[in-house]
Amino acid sequence: MRSHRRSRLLAPLMLAPLIAGCFASGGGDDSGDGGGGDGARLRVALAFPPAENLSPYGADATLLSRLGVTEGLTALDANGSAAPALAESWRRDGEKTWEFTLRDATFQDGSEVTPAAVADSLTHATDAEPAPAALAGVTLSAKARGERVVRITTAEPDPVLPLRLSSPSLAILSAKAYEKSGRVDPVGHATGPFELTEVNGATSASLDRFDDYWGGRAQASGIDARFIADGTARANALRTGELDIAEAVPVSQAATLDEKTRRDTATTRTTSLLLNASSGPFKDAGQRAAARAAVDTSVFAKDVYEGYADPAAGIYGPAVTWAEGKRTAPVGRAEAAELSGGTIHLATYDNRPELPEVAQVVKQQLEKAGFKVKLTVREYSRLEQDALDGKFDAFVLARNTLLDTGDPVAVLASDYTCDGGFNIAQLCDKGVDRAVADAEKIADTAKRQDAAMAAEARILGSDAVVPLVHQRIITGVADSVQGVILDPYERTLVGTGTRR
């Protein structure tokens, strides 16, 4: 198993609708004002501060896309299909090659978005260590072809490449972004409607409107972003008029906001209990089965999330509308064993304020079954590496299952295979790996979905993951604000049409 992994929190050309409801996905879809007046700056609070110096290859990729800084060749539309972004069209040329035709666009440093620049940016992503989640198990090369075309070839046939390239971790940056040795610098080198101008560590960031954005000038003149890990503080700042937009408002604070200022969105995010399957007490499948049997998942949606969630069904929740009709029973579950004794080290993070309460309920349920449990709660950036290195026996994680690529198979490869880049459960099961590998080869949408559910059944059968609840995200939006993007994939938040 890999010793170095990267966060994925912040993961087919899916023709069947995945999500109920619609959202704008950036670019011209947000209906910028075209002539652009000098609209007021937006004051936005985000739950997660930069964790990796704004590297586009890890947790910060989603932060950059939510603030309208970065874009990829493609985006996700409301149905989960690949939609044009920096590439205005694409076509497949044989089993292993795709050609993407670029639109006329400019980087924020004034250089042109050329096929050579795009190919260079994608090459840097493929060379990153560890690889971005969207490239898990994928080897690709990109080359310029003529004045407008990028030709991308994969080592193995990849039927979902246009969808994969929508990942925030595959954002296209200019050559200047890679000039600093050892890091990628997106400040002033991206293509989105807003340009980062200043980053104050983990506290705040300033962004100005990028007037040469291909999708039209944004209606807001800029963004003043604050990183506020405390959910109650985010809600209070919105209520007192200090903020225009507050993401991830805690359910405990929802009732304190005026009904017009709170928006809840069904998402593809699932909160799960991950059990360390490679070391400690849960290396034994019988102990994992005992823990799974001890957890009553019915209480989380109603009590902890106060109705802003749905009861756990599996890795994919009801927002993935095709999943329930294809779900099968878990495969290969072990019988619950007698408890082995010792103390279980359970951990979670408080950037999502419901998680400590979820973890406390899990702790109580495990203790009622006879486990001894020590609970650790920290801010996510102070917890992540220990979790990825398998230093906890159990971990409560809120994971957007379609964030990284929009492909339901990709999250299984990243989170539950032996070489998965975000395998907090430390699961390494040959049967699971085979099932995921089989699913990755399938191009037909319906058959790929079937294969994803077959792999889910094997993963659930391992008891390395116990789904607890499927979340709805509450976004606080001031009365004066229009055009906030309520994205079920949690990739976007502000766009050209967001204004006050």
Side-chain angles (χ1 to χ4, degrees):
M1 197 167 292
R2 294 180 183 176
S3 59
H4 299 286
R5 301 184 179 92
R6 187 81 67 175
S7 168
R8 305 293 177 233
L9 288 183
L10 284 174
L13 293 172
M14 299 297 294
L15 301 179
L18 294 178
I19 302 297
C22 298
F23 66 98
S25 57
D29 293 340
D30 290 340
S31 303
D33 64 8
D38 291 324
R41 295 177 66 84
L42 296 167
R43 300 165 299 169
V44 179
L46 302 180
F48 290 86
E52 297 167 332
N53 295 317
L54 292 176
S55 167
Y57 304 139
D60 296 348
T62 307
L63 183 155
L64 293 168
S65 69
R66 286 178 70 73
L67 288 174
V69 176
T70 55
E71 304 172 295
L73 288 179
T74 62
L76 285 183
D77 69 12
N79 292 326
S81 299
L86 289 175
E88 62 184 13
S89 63
W90 50 88
R91 71 180 188 91
R92 196 169 189 178
D93 183 13
E95 288 192 339
K96 299 181 181 180
T97 300
W98 295 76
E99 291 188 343
F100 293 81
T101 300
L102 304 181
R103 68 173 72 251
D104 290 331
T106 305
F107 288 110
Q108 293 162 352
D109 57 23
S111 59
E112 293 185 9
V113 177
T114 64
V118 171
D120 180 64
S121 186
L122 291 175
T123 299
H124 279 285
T126 63
D127 291 341
E129 265 305 322
L135 295 180
V138 176
T139 301
L140 64 78
S141 61
K143 295 182 179 180
R145 181 174 179 177
E147 296 183 356
R148 297 186 63 201
V149 174
V150 178
R151 188 174 173 87
I152 301 177
T153 301
T154 56
E156 300 294 333
D158 186 4
V160 298
L161 184 64
L163 198 63
R164 189 182 305 282
L165 292 174
S166 73
S167 170
S169 64
L170 298 181
I172 303 302
L173 303 175
S174 73
K176 293 180 181 179
Y178 309 100
E179 290 179 350
K180 295 182 179 180
S181 178
R183 62 169 296 221
V184 182
D185 182 12
V187 178
H189 304 137
T191 61
F194 294 101
E195 175 184 355
L196 275 170
T197 57
E198 183 180 1
V199 180
N200 300 307
T203 303
S204 64
S206 295
L207 302 89
D208 288 342
R209 177 174 57 208
F210 176 42
D211 288 341
D212 291 329
Y213 179 55
W214 63 265
R217 295 178 70 195
Q219 294 188 18
S221 60
I223 299 172
D224 296 314
R226 295 164 59 188
F227 307 112
I228 305 175
D230 186 288
T232 300
R234 290 195 300 277
N236 287 340
L238 179 74
R239 193 165 47 245
T240 58
E242 298 175 44
L243 293 174
D244 301 309
I245 304 168
E247 73 167 2
V249 173
V251 294
S252 62
Q253 295 295 311
T256 70
L257 299 179
D258 185 86
E259 185 176 355
K260 295 180 180 179
T261 67
R262 64 176 189 264
R263 319 277 178 85
D264 69 286
T265 308
T267 74
T268 55
R269 183 173 295 277
T270 296
T271 295
S272 299
L273 173 65
L274 301 174
L275 303 178
N276 188 333
S278 70
S279 64
F282 292 131
K283 183 177 181 179
D284 179 76
Q287 296 296 310
R288 298 197 299 272
R292 182 253 309 156
V295 176
D296 176 8
T297 63
S298 66
V299 304
F300 295 104
K302 179 181 178 181
D303 296 338
V304 177
Y305 285 88
E306 300 178 16
Y308 289 101
D310 297 295
I315 294 173
Y316 312 105
V320 185
T321 55
W322 52 262
E324 187 57 36
K326 295 174 178 286
R327 181 167 282 117
T328 59
V331 174
R333 272 184 169 163
E335 294 290 333
E338 292 186 11
L339 304 191
S340 59
T343 300
I344 303 301
H345 195 172
L346 169 67
T348 195
Y349 47 99
D350 55 10
N351 304 72
R352 298 190 181 278
E354 295 81 21
L355 295 188
E357 186 176 352
V358 170
Q360 187 62 43
V361 173
V362 169
K363 178 177 183 289
Q364 293 170 355
Q365 293 181 346
L366 291 175
E367 288 175 337
K368 184 177 180 181
F371 289 96
K372 297 178 181 178
V373 183
K374 174 186 176 182
L375 175 60
T376 294
V377 178
R378 302 181 203 152
E379 197 272 329
Y380 183 77
S381 64
R382 298 178 52 238
L383 194 71
E384 177 188 60
Q385 196 57 53
D386 285 348
L388 294 170
D389 288 342
K391 294 185 178 180
F392 303 114
D393 300 312
F395 195 85
V396 173
L397 175 76
R399 175 75 155 114
N400 193 317
T401 57
L402 297 181
L403 173 67
D404 294 326
T405 65
D407 171 23
V409 180
V411 70
L412 305 184
S414 173
D415 291 22
Y416 303 110
T417 62
C418 294
D419 290 329
F422 196 61
N423 190 351
I424 289 179
Q426 313 295 314
L427 180 64
C428 189
D429 181 287
K430 292 181 180 178
V432 168
D433 276 22
R434 281 194 300 270
V436 173
D438 289 344
E440 288 177 321
K441 298 173 185 176
I442 299 173
D444 178 82
T445 297
K447 291 180 180 178
R448 192 177 181 93
Q449 293 170 352
D450 291 339
M453 300 310 294
E456 183 202 56
R458 286 195 170 275
I459 293 166
L460 294 177
S462 75
D463 285 327
V465 55
V466 182
L468 302 176
V469 70
H470 305 296
Q471 291 180 242
R472 292 176 173 268
I473 298 299
I474 305 171
T475 305
V477 182
D479 289 345
S480 60
V481 175
Q482 301 179 45
V484 173
I485 304 170
L486 303 176
D487 176 5
Y489 303 102
E490 301 180 84
R491 294 180 172 193
T492 53
L493 181 64
V494 296
T496 56
T498 313
R499 65 192 183 278
R500 69 179 176 96

